Amino acid sequence: MTDTAPQPIDLDAPPEEDHEDAALTTYRARVGAFELHWSVDAPLSVVMTSSTHAGRAGVGLIEVLTSTEQRGRTSQAYWRSAVGERLRVQGSHIASDGDAARAVIVQTDAVSGLEVRSTVTAPRGTTALRIESVVRNAGREPVVLTAVSSATIGIGRSRSDLDRVIWGSAASEWLAEDRWRETPVRELLPDISLPFHRQDGRGHAGVTSHGAWSSGEHLPCGYLVRGDGEALAWQIETSAGWHADLSQTRNGGVLSLLGPTDLEHQFAHELLPGESFTAVPVAIAASADARDGVIAELTRYRRWLRRDAAGEALPVVYNDFMNTLMGQPTTEKLRPLIRGAAAAGAEVFCIDAGWFADPAIGDWWSTVGEWREATTRFGEGGLRRVIDEIHRQGMSSGLWLEPEVVGVDSPAAARLPDEAFFQRFGRRVQEDRRYHLDFRHPAARGHVDATVDHLVEEYGIRYLKLDYNINPGAGTERNATAAGDGMLAHTRAFQDWLVRVQQRHPSLRIENCSSGAMRADYALLAVTHLQSTSDQQDFRLYPPIAAAAPASILPEQCGNWAYPSSEMNDDETAFTLVTGLSGRLYLSGFLEELRPAQRERVAEAVALHKTLRDELTGATPFWPLGLPAWDAPTVCLGLHTGSDDLLFVWDRDAAPAAFTLPDVAGEVDVVFPAAPAEGSAWRLATTPAGLSVATPAGLGARVLKVRRG
């Protein structure tokens, strides 16, 4: 570890009336690709010195709003808070090791008595920064926080810079995740002649989450790209409320990244003297190579965040749910599925929902929470007999679980105390006949710990699909200043539970699922292995989800469903398998009912995936046709892997199609399907503009390998 003393620098002073006027003597500290700037008259800010797009001195990194002091200048944006403008650096420590460079900066506000300790980490091998801050009440009176920005950063150096910037964000919902779009910033923040008015703007734009589905409406990540290719990307790492806020000043834009807030999420957190609050971690990354370049930087950062997972096996998982048993497993139904999955080469067989419910109940939705096998569902030998069959076929066994909920008709609902559940106005919160456990309470964690220990130790379970199918609203008021405060505390307790259960059972692999990908954030993905990317059952609608998912999820964590059916023709069978191959192949379907040619195609896909999966752990995504529109007839995802590129291409047009994949150059091989059905061959040709593709009529999909250079 080495210490580096901050160095004074001289900055050109902006116009006298400009509130961003930093003192002439400014201190700076290099952290990775960025610099931290501050002075005796200005708070800490982050700047990328090689870019005029990412960062601007004078834009304070941390904003703090309290119940008694909000903004120092009226606005709707999360910028220029009264406390934030008064923060001044009191101490700094810069260090580095083999893993990352780190800076710890302590700022204080003499008026409120608040102290902010920010840790800025720059992992090796990427331009990304991770920013974590702790706010401590060093004063004598209680302070109620209503919002804390995890990072605030300037965009551009002049108002004209915003004229060429686009905002990349993704809408998301059940069955239609990861729908990216690019919007010119000037459509969100019109040029209103701020220098003429000698003031900064008061409006803002942005995206926010609601309730506990962190990616249920918008993804907690995005990017800002200027016309010359300079780009800044971000992600917010929480399963609770978050907000990304964009505003404008006379000198450019301001991006604020926040966890839960008072206005958006009913958040408040009281700090008594000496108490601390930890803000939500965020990451930012910069690149001169536009969208694909900056997402590649975030991809490398996400791997650093999961560095303890390096070298882990990436097994092929078969799950009996999608378009198959749909939550009604029995011994008789499972046996052929187990044989079919083993024959195809699957390495994990996961029994999905319903294993705990008496078949006579039918709709078991309100009975979940006891998590003991239904004695009448599996007949002689029970669930153990089925799991033993999975093991005899050479596969590990998995089960579905929804640990955070208890149905209103479950025995656990009566047995557990009210304090173990989310509460509003003194009563349990109920959403669609279910209560929500509060993982801060020992009875809640004890109940779920006993469940997992039982499944692992008694049945030999090595894989858990953890689902999350309700959104309980703002949160819980029990032991919290406000409901949003309780929500944040629960999600942090749940993340801690995930870590501890894996420490207790090191062989256990955990899938993060939430009605598909309604809670796909890196608070959870940092400590789990696989993310189900959707519940979409129509194989024709899945490609834009699978192709866009690596923008927000590591390729090796993208669990893309492939569910071949005997009703599909050969091209449709290949189509759904290409979707699975574009990330982590996640199998379902009645495989034993397939035609022999279809079964061969499934086995071919599994064998190919096993040769490609290790490359996923170093791959970075790119999109020759851009991030796909939901109704795009042609969809393409690229993965840079070592010396080769993998291209996953879907043609959804019923008519013959011809298109070019721009800037794709090199020797091209079709690696799947190896021998397409008669009459369905694609014609490929390398041209100066890129790879020319011509397809026959009907749906089709291919996996291509391009040898660069």
Side-chain angles (χ1 to χ4, degrees):
M1 304 283 282
T2 59
D3 292 328
T4 304
Q7 300 297 315
I9 60 172
D10 289 331
L11 297 178
D12 293 331
E16 184 175 351
E17 72 275 14
D18 195 332
H19 76 272
E20 291 182 11
D21 183 6
L24 290 179
T25 301
T26 299
Y27 292 91
R28 67 181 180 187
R30 184 87 177 182
V31 186
F34 289 84
E35 282 188 345
L36 305 179
H37 288 214
W38 70 89
S39 77
V40 295
D41 294 321
L44 174 69
S45 60
V46 63
V47 177
M48 191 174 191
T49 56
S50 63
S51 169
T52 58
H53 177 65
R56 185 167 72 249
V59 177
L61 180 63
I62 306 299
E63 300 288 358
V64 180
L65 277 68
T66 73
S67 60
T68 56
E69 279 195 296
Q70 299 189 94
R71 296 162 186 84
R73 174 115 182 140
T74 189
S75 169
Q76 297 181 84
Y78 284 99
W79 183 60
R80 294 192 69 186
S81 64
V83 173
E85 288 195 329
R86 295 195 301 260
L87 289 174
R88 296 295 180 266
V89 172
Q90 303 301 316
S92 63
H93 177 74
I94 317 298
S96 63
D97 54 30
D99 178 57
R102 293 178 178 83
V104 179
I105 310 293
V106 178
Q107 302 183 90
T108 61
D109 168 32
V111 175
S112 67
L114 292 175
E115 173 190 280
V116 181
R117 184 181 186 90
S118 299
T119 300
V120 181
T121 303
R124 306 294 182 195
T126 176
T127 65
L129 290 182
R130 188 172 203 243
I131 301 165
E132 306 164 271
S133 293
V134 177
V135 181
R136 186 175 73 90
N137 183 357
R140 297 180 178 180
E141 300 294 331
V143 176
V144 177
L145 304 176
T146 56
V148 178
S149 75
S150 299
T152 303
I153 183 170
I155 304 298
R157 304 292 171 86
S158 68
R159 68 169 182 157
S160 63
D161 282 341
L162 297 184
D163 297 344
R164 301 181 294 147
V165 176
I166 61 98
W167 166 264
S169 62
S172 192
E173 66 171 281
W174 184 58
L175 310 181
E177 296 85 348
D178 303 303
R179 302 190 322 277
W180 286 86
R181 65 174 297 181
E182 294 184 342
T183 306
V185 163
R186 280 305 182 202
E187 290 186 12
L188 304 171
L189 302 172
D191 187 345
I192 51 179
S193 192
L194 291 174
F196 182 85
H197 296 85
R198 300 172 67 87
Q199 295 184 40
D200 294 323
R202 298 183 185 182
H204 70 145
V207 289
T208 189
S209 70
H210 293 98
W213 280 345
S214 57
S215 53
E217 293 180 77
H218 305 279
L219 298 190
C221 57
Y223 55 86
L224 290 158
V225 180
R226 198 167 62 186
D228 60 0
E230 291 285 345
L232 178 78
W234 54 268
Q235 74 175 26
I236 304 175
E237 298 168 8
T238 182
S239 302
W242 61 266
H243 181 73
D245 199 73
L246 188 64
S247 57
Q248 62 178 322
T249 77
R250 285 163 287 170
N251 292 341
V254 174
L255 174 67
S256 297
L257 306 174
L258 304 99
T261 69
D262 177 23
L263 287 177
E264 283 79 16
H265 309 101
Q266 300 183 42
F267 170 84
H269 185 89
E270 183 180 36
L271 287 180
L272 299 178
E275 291 184 338
S276 297
F277 169 77
T278 300
V280 166
V282 300
I284 58 174
S287 173
D289 296 324
R291 175 202 62 221
D292 290 359
V294 78
I295 290 177
E297 296 295 342
L298 267 188
T299 300
R300 297 182 185 102
Y301 162 77
R302 291 165 184 153
R303 290 203 175 99
W304 172 84
L305 196 62
R306 298 184 72 248
R307 55 199 179 278
D308 291 342
E312 285 184 345
L314 306 176
V316 176
V317 180
Y318 177 94
N319 182 294
D320 68 29
F321 182 79
M322 192 74 84
N323 294 3
T324 313
L325 301 187
M326 301 300 292
Q328 294 294 343
T330 65
T331 302
E332 292 71 24
K333 293 177 181 178
L334 286 167
R335 279 178 169 173
L337 299 183
I338 293 168
R339 292 193 299 267
E347 294 153 310
V348 175
F349 189 101
C350 182
I351 301 171
D352 209 273
W355 58 270
F356 43 80
D358 188 328
I361 295 175
D363 179 10
W364 42 254
W365 185 262
S366 67
T367 67
V368 299
E370 191 66 8
W371 309 124
R372 292 295 185 267
E373 71 169 279
T375 56
T376 58
R377 182 172 286 276
F378 298 104
E380 184 179 354
L383 180 61
R384 184 183 301 278
R385 183 182 178 188
V386 177
I387 290 175
D388 287 346
E389 177 62 21
I390 294 171
H391 297 164
R392 280 194 297 271
Q393 292 286 345
M395 297 180 289
S396 297
S397 55
L399 282 178
W400 178 96
L401 205 64
E402 196 169 356
E404 293 164 87
V405 301
V406 173
V408 296
D409 296 320
S410 169
R415 186 172 64 251
L416 292 169
D418 286 341
E419 293 77 16
F421 295 93
F422 275 27
Q423 296 183 30
R424 297 292 304 280
F425 306 104
R427 301 183 66 181
R428 292 186 188 183
V429 173
Q430 183 181 149
E431 168 78 2
D432 194 4
R433 298 167 290 154
R434 291 176 167 194
Y435 301 123
H436 196 294
L437 287 172
D438 185 343
F439 268 51
R440 296 174 297 166
H441 196 280
R445 289 181 70 149
H447 168 69
V448 182
D449 276 338
T451 295
V452 174
D453 293 348
H454 171 70
L455 296 176
V456 172
E457 295 165 4
E458 296 298 319
Y459 292 96
I461 297 299
R462 294 293 178 266
Y463 185 93
L464 287 176
K465 176 183 177 180
L466 300 187
D467 214 337
Y468 190 67
N469 286 308
I470 67 168
N471 190 336
T476 177
E477 295 166 342
R478 191 191 71 84
N479 289 345
T481 309
D485 186 31
M487 175 70 80
L488 178 61
H490 160 76
T491 61
R492 287 172 163 170
F494 180 66
Q495 183 195 47
D496 178 72
W497 176 80
L498 286 169
V499 171
R500 292 179 183 274
V501 78
Q502 291 176 78
Q503 291 172 344
R504 203 162 65 248
H505 302 293
S507 62
L508 193 61
R509 296 292 173 262
I510 294 179
E511 172 190 340
N512 186 48
C513 180
S514 44
S515 288
M518 299 294 91
R519 193 172 62 167
D521 59 73
Y522 267 88
L524 293 179
L525 286 171
V527 296
T528 54
H529 299 87
L530 189 72
Q531 172 67 56
S532 177
T533 55
S534 186
D535 276 353
Q536 178 54 252
Q537 293 177 249
D538 188 335
F539 72 99
R540 294 160 294 193
L541 297 182
Y542 212 131
I545 300 171
S552 59
I553 303 168
L554 283 172
E556 60 267 32
Q557 290 185 285
C558 288
N560 294 332
W561 292 88
Y563 29 73
S565 163
S566 60
E567 298 177 356
M568 294 178 178
N569 63 34
D570 291 345
D571 288 332
E572 291 169 339
T573 301
F575 191 98
T576 188
L577 290 167
V578 170
T579 299
L581 287 166
S582 64
R584 286 281 299 284
L585 178 59
Y586 200 178
L587 278 174
S588 195
F590 295 101
L591 302 185
E592 280 220 329
E593 296 180 4
L594 300 179
R595 301 183 300 277
Q598 287 180 295
R599 291 200 295 270
E600 290 176 7
R601 191 68 80 206
V602 173
E604 176 193 348
V606 173
L608 175 63
H609 182 68
K610 290 178 179 178
T611 68
L612 298 178
R613 59 187 173 187
D614 288 342
E615 297 184 47
L616 292 177
T617 61
T620 55
F622 66 101
W623 293 271
L625 298 176
L627 285 160
W630 180 249
D631 57 355
T634 306
V635 177
C636 181
L637 165 67
L639 294 177
H640 293 305
T641 62
S643 60
D644 300 325
D645 290 338
L646 291 173
L647 293 175
F648 304 88
V649 188
W650 297 263
D651 172 22
R652 300 196 290 174
D653 197 332
F659 52 90
T660 298
L661 302 179
D663 302 322
V664 174
E667 184 179 344
V668 182
D669 293 322
V670 178
V671 295
F672 183 84
E678 185 176 351
S680 63
W682 288 19
R683 297 193 305 276
L684 307 174
T686 301
T687 72
L691 181 64
S692 173
V693 181
T695 70
L699 295 177
R702 296 290 184 269
V703 181
L704 310 177
K705 178 175 281 190
V706 182
R707 293 179 175 84
R708 294 195 301 271

